Amino acid sequence: MSSKRDLPPDIFHIATGSSEPIYRQMVEQLRRQILGGQIHAGDGMPSVRDVATTLGINPMTVSKAYSLLEADGWLERRRGMGMTIAQREGSFDQAKSRLELLRPSLERVAVESQQLKLPPKDVLNLFSKILKGDP
C-alpha cells in the first residue's frame, strides 16, 4: 500500500450532457481510478462540500455517490479522517472488475453499431486501431 495522500476535489470530471446521472458518473470514475492504480487504499477523499463546489453541483449528489461507494466497499469512513479509499481484500478479482466497468460503454457502442448496421468485423478493427493509438 502506498503512503496516504489527500485527493484533490477535481478527481471527478462530469459530462453534463450525458444521460448518465452525475452521481453514477462519479461512482464509475472512482472505481476506474482505483482499479487502474491511480488511486490507492488509504488515500483520503475530498470533502463533499469541496467536490460540490469544484464541480458546481448539489452536495447531495456527491453525498449519494460517496454513500454508494461506501456501501459497495470502495470507501470507508474513518473517525476524524473522513472518507478514505478502502483496502480491498481476499477474492477480489481486479482484472474481472476492470472489464465489468468497461461493459456499459461497450454495450452502448454495440447498440450504436447495430443501429448503424455496421459489420462487427469493421467495428472490431476500428476498436483495435483505437486501442493501439493508431489515427
Side-chain angles (χ1 to χ4, degrees), residues 79-100:
R79 187 178 299 263
M81 293 175 59
M83 297 292 264
T84 60
I85 304 299
Q87 181 70 43
R88 309 259 321 166
E89 301 284 344
S91 63
F92 177 63
D93 183 346
Q94 256 193 344
K96 183 178 178 186
S97 294
R98 287 194 306 252
L99 283 172
E100 283 304 311

Side-chain angles (χ1 to χ4, degrees), residues 61-133:
T61 301
V62 179
S63 183
K64 183 173 184 174
Y66 279 21
S67 293
L68 287 172
L69 287 159
E70 182 181 19
D72 288 344
W74 295 95
L75 294 180
E76 61 186 357
R77 193 177 308 270
R78 292 194 177 160
R79 187 178 299 263
M81 293 175 59
M83 297 292 264
T84 60
I85 304 299
Q87 181 70 43
R88 309 259 321 166
E89 301 284 344
S91 63
F92 177 63
D93 183 346
Q94 256 193 344
K96 183 178 178 186
S97 294
R98 287 194 306 252
L99 283 172
E100 283 304 311
L101 283 175
L102 192 57
R103 178 181 278 287
S105 297
L106 293 177
E107 287 174 346
R108 283 191 295 277
V109 169
V111 168
E112 290 176 21
S113 299
Q114 291 165 351
Q115 291 169 342
L116 292 168
K117 299 197 183 306
L118 294 170
K121 180 181 173 188
D122 292 348
V123 175
L124 292 173
N125 284 339
L126 176 60
F127 186 61
S128 182
K129 283 183 177 181
I130 291 169
L131 281 175
K132 292 175 184 174

Side-chain angles (χ1 to χ4, degrees), residues 25-60:
Q25 291 179 48
M26 295 174 67
V27 167
E28 296 307 316
Q29 285 178 32
L30 190 70
R31 287 178 178 168
R32 283 192 296 269
Q33 290 180 61
I34 292 168
L35 290 169
Q38 294 97 351
I39 294 176
H40 305 280
D43 287 349
M45 289 296 293
S47 73
V48 167
R49 183 174 32 136
D50 287 348
V51 172
T53 300
T54 299
L55 297 177
I57 61 175
N58 189 316
M60 291 304 293

